[in-house]
């Protein structure tokens, strides 16, 4: 499979990557223990402890009296919907695992912030040829399945604000064609699901449905991703049915948490 839209640097520094991912977890999801951070990053507890200690030193994190690490003063300046993202991820993980067991394809949960979409949970399937975890990654919203699902919930005025020309003054090539995007979103609303064919990565196809709040507002996008060589259009309806059932079950769980 070809490289994703956001290509890793030629000389990645693992320690920096781990620190940035840990900071993102604290900012977007709230508190976490050393063990939880170690598990999420796939590192030893001692490594996670050193990463968190440095974040505390630079005020990116604080440790409370229960030894739980939380976003520090630096991150709190830009904190956004910590409780919601944390609730979404916690409630979604069992459903993502069940989707993977049922479909044997990688399952994801995505939220939108402005014109970007962030993968907040990802469970890989067991197949040798598979789409890897996207957890923590950020893409342009209009290039991801979840992002499209969430953009579809916006009014024309809200969409104009998200993609206002002045926001793209320094990067005009990144601004999507709004007429084409509106047409795509209109079709998505009518169908109730999204099919993403190689928009974020060549050779990758994803199918997704929205996860809604009690009032019908789309909170997140629930999707499965697979190599294009394994996608069969005749399976689309069964994929949508499985995703829709998982989304409804997740919505019920979220409602019960209130």
């Amino acid at each position: 499979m070809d490289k994703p839209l956001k290509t890793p640097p030629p000389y990645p520094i693992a320690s920096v990557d781990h620190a940035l991912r840990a900071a993102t977890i604290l900012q977007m999801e709230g508190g976490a223990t050393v063990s939880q951070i170690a598990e999420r990053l796939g590192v030893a507890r001692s490594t996670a402890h050193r990463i968190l200690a440095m974040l505390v030193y630079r005020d990116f994190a604080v440790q409370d009296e229960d030894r739980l690490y939380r976003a520090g003063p630096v991150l709190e300046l830009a904190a956004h919907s910590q409780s919601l993202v944390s609730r979404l991820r916690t409630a979604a993980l069992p459903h993502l695992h069940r989707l993977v067991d049922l479909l044997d394809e990688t399952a994801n949960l995505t939220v939108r912030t402005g014109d970007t979409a962030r993968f907040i949970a990802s469970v890989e399937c067991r197949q040798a040829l598979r789409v890897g975890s996207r957890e923590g990654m950020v893409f342009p919203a209009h290039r991801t399945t979840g992002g499209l699902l969430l953009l579809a919930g916006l009014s024309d005025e809200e969409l104009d604000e998200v993609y206002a020309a002045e926001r793209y003054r320094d990067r005009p090539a990144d601004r999507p064609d709004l007429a084409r995007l509106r047409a795509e979103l209109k079709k998505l609303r009518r169908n109730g699901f999204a099919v993403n064919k190689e928009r974020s990565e060549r050779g990758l196809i994803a199918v997704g449905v929205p996860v809604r709040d009690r009032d019908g507002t789309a909170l997140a996008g629930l999707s499965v991703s697979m190599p294009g060589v394994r996608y069969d259009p005749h399976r689309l309806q069964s994929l949508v049915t499985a995703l829709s059932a998982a989304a409804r079950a997740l919505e019920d769980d979220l409602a019960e948490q209130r």
Side-chain angles (χ1 to χ4, degrees), residues 1 4 106 108 118-122 131-139 200-201 204 225:
M1 298 175 65
T106 297
N108 305 289
R118 177 184 296 278
F119 288 78
I120 63 170
S122 188
V131 177
S133 172
R134 294 293 187 267
E135 186 170 318
M137 296 182 69
V138 177
F139 291 90
S200 61
E201 182 176 344
L204 184 154
S225 305

Side-chain angles (χ1 to χ4, degrees), residues 51-94:
I51 291 169
L52 290 166
M54 184 56 68
L55 292 179
V56 170
Y57 175 66
R58 290 298 183 185
D59 288 329
F60 281 80
V62 294
Q63 188 179 26
D64 62 23
E65 57 189 21
D66 296 324
R67 304 186 69 79
L68 199 68
Y69 288 87
R70 301 184 183 279
V74 173
L75 294 181
E76 283 183 346
L77 292 173
H80 174 70
S81 300
Q82 290 182 359
S83 60
L84 175 59
V85 171
S86 181
R87 283 198 308 120
L88 276 169
R89 186 179 187 281
T90 300
L93 278 174

Side-chain angles (χ1 to χ4, degrees), residues 26-164:
L26 297 181
Q27 183 187 42
M28 297 296 290
E29 302 176 27
T33 64
V34 172
S35 296
Q36 289 170 332
I37 293 295
E39 180 181 358
R40 293 285 294 278
L41 299 182
V43 300
R45 286 186 81 259
S46 59
T47 301
H49 185 270
R50 290 195 296 271
I51 291 169
L52 290 166
M54 184 56 68
L55 292 179
V56 170
Y57 175 66
R58 290 298 183 185
D59 288 329
F60 281 80
V62 294
Q63 188 179 26
D64 62 23
E65 57 189 21
D66 296 324
R67 304 186 69 79
L68 199 68
Y69 288 87
R70 301 184 183 279
V74 173
L75 294 181
E76 283 183 346
L77 292 173
H80 174 70
S81 300
Q82 290 182 359
S83 60
L84 175 59
V85 171
S86 181
R87 283 198 308 120
L88 276 169
R89 186 179 187 281
T90 300
L93 278 174
H95 300 287
L96 294 180
H97 281 286
R98 280 193 282 273
L99 274 174
V100 172
D101 289 340
L102 178 64
L103 303 174
D104 205 12
E105 299 292 356
T106 297
N108 305 289
L109 190 74
T110 311
V111 296
R112 181 186 67 86
T113 301
D115 63 352
T116 64
R118 177 184 296 278
F119 288 78
I120 63 170
S122 188
V123 177
E124 291 186 21
C125 69
R126 294 169 293 277
Q127 303 205 54
L129 179 61
R130 64 180 180 273
V131 177
S133 172
R134 294 293 187 267
E135 186 170 318
M137 296 182 69
V138 177
F139 291 90
H142 69 285
R143 291 187 178 275
T144 69
T145 309
L148 288 168
L149 291 164
L150 296 169
L151 289 172
L154 301 181
S155 66
D156 284 345
E157 293 75 16
E158 291 170 326
L159 196 67
D160 286 338
E161 183 178 350
V162 170
Y163 292 108

